[in-house]
Amino acid sequence: MKRDNLSILVIGQGGREHALVWKLKASPRVSRVYAAPGNPGMHGLAECVPIPVNDVHQLTHFALGHHVDLAVIGPEAPLALGLSDELMRLGIPVFGPTKAAASIETSKVWAKQFMSRHRIPTADYSIFTDVDAARRYVRVHGAPVVVKADGLAAGKGVVVAHTQDEAEQAVDTVSHLAEGGEIIVEDCLVGREASFLVITDGMSAVPLISAKDHKRAKDGDRGPNTGGMGAIVPAPLFDASLQARILEEIVMPAIRGLSAEGRRYVGVLYAGLMLTSQGPMALEFNARFGDPETQAILPMMESDLVDLLEAAVEGTCSSMTINWRDGACVCVVAASSGYPENPQLGKEIHIDADRAQKDGVLIFHAGTRLDGEKLMASEGRVLNLVSTGGSVEEAASGAYQGLSHVSFDGMWFRNDIGS
Ligand code: AMP
Ligand code: GLY
């Protein structure tokens, strides 16, 4: 029998965690949601506790003291610190992989070698510890080429170089970011990108609806890479046969491979894909929900999220299916001026919540903080405007309508999400 009156602890403070809190609180089985540290948008949904995401000791202490029934880890940093391992050691059910399983995201070198061992299609690559050797290699290889730093570099560790000069410069830039000193140089893949996420118990996988992230800052997918300026769900031209192929060739080999190597993976596994003319290939895996994909995926979900997360923890994913609503969902990110290079923070935010609600627009907070009564921008990505609709166009029009109900000095957004 399923238990009710659950207390859930969500770890994180961004738009992804606001969406998770919103969806979890909608479950009739959940009576209480805590968020650590949470954000002002969660007011009325969750009790925010001021513990930073990387304070493993305080987080586990809190979960134990408050009899949390399930901990849900949003960002990658606490996974890399072994928060899951520590919670599990104390007998607290946790949705999120162990430190060893999260290596699939936290070390790009490990992930590439893992993909090779399990024949998961990915770009051909070479790994260098010596910067000069990497430079010599790109001189011979030529452009375009992709240069990546090992480890978590907050999205700054990847350069897609289109010219020889850019490639050599990328080796220098990336070598400063490379944690373990290792640099990956890989072939540049051509195609459409898509994000495909599954919930897994380490044996079987329950697919989430496909999504497309818009990582570049400028309209038409130009400009520098960002944490993500918007997302559309489902991803364009993504059908059941493509999904089956991605599961068979990429996702299931990864899940089975992790288990076979003694790193059983429980949580959400995110495959960042390039859909090439030769078929889908893995660009990377993430060990967590995508941001901002999650903000557009969860409003499409009719099923109870807590049932799914629990199935992953209890090893019963094979018996789960998810009901999705028809149509589409679009998330547009409102960012601070200067983002991503030099975001100007601390501007006061105005939100007309009544009009947003009347228009059926969801507003997830990505980077906000309270200064007394005032809501202030505290990150480069500030708000997520989310709308569902009968089609991507309709959902996009709803999300852009929502943008007229929020404002702060210097606010900008991409104009082409979903168009
Ligand atoms: P990653 O963090 O590895 O997903 O890389 C960030 C972004 O860089 C991806 O979303 C792609 O847009 C781009 N990228 C990474 N690897 C490649 C590749 N091999 N070929 C083309 N683009 C890539
Ligand atoms: N949307 C990209 C990511 O979450 O890594």
Side-chain angles (χ1 to χ4, degrees), residues 16 213 215 227-228 270 284 286 288-293:
R16 164 183 55 205
D213 182 13
K215 286 207 178 77
Y270 167 138
E284 62 162 351
N286 291 320
R288 50 172 175 81
F289 283 101
D291 188 332
E293 290 96 325

Side-chain angles (χ1 to χ4, degrees), residues 247-276:
L247 275 170
E248 186 189 319
E249 295 177 8
I250 295 174
V251 173
M252 288 316 298
I255 291 171
R256 288 195 204 102
L258 284 161
S259 281
E261 295 190 11
R263 299 179 188 234
R264 183 174 154 194
Y265 189 104
V266 174
V268 58
L269 182 64
Y270 167 138
L273 304 164
M274 188 70 91
L275 308 176
T276 74

Side-chain angles (χ1 to χ4, degrees), residues 108 123 146 148 158 186-189 193 215 274 283-284:
K108 286 187 190 291
V146 182
K148 300 185 176 183
V158 177
E186 65 180 45
D187 289 354
C188 187
L189 300 176
E193 277 188 59
K215 286 207 178 77
M274 188 70 91
L283 292 174
E284 62 162 351

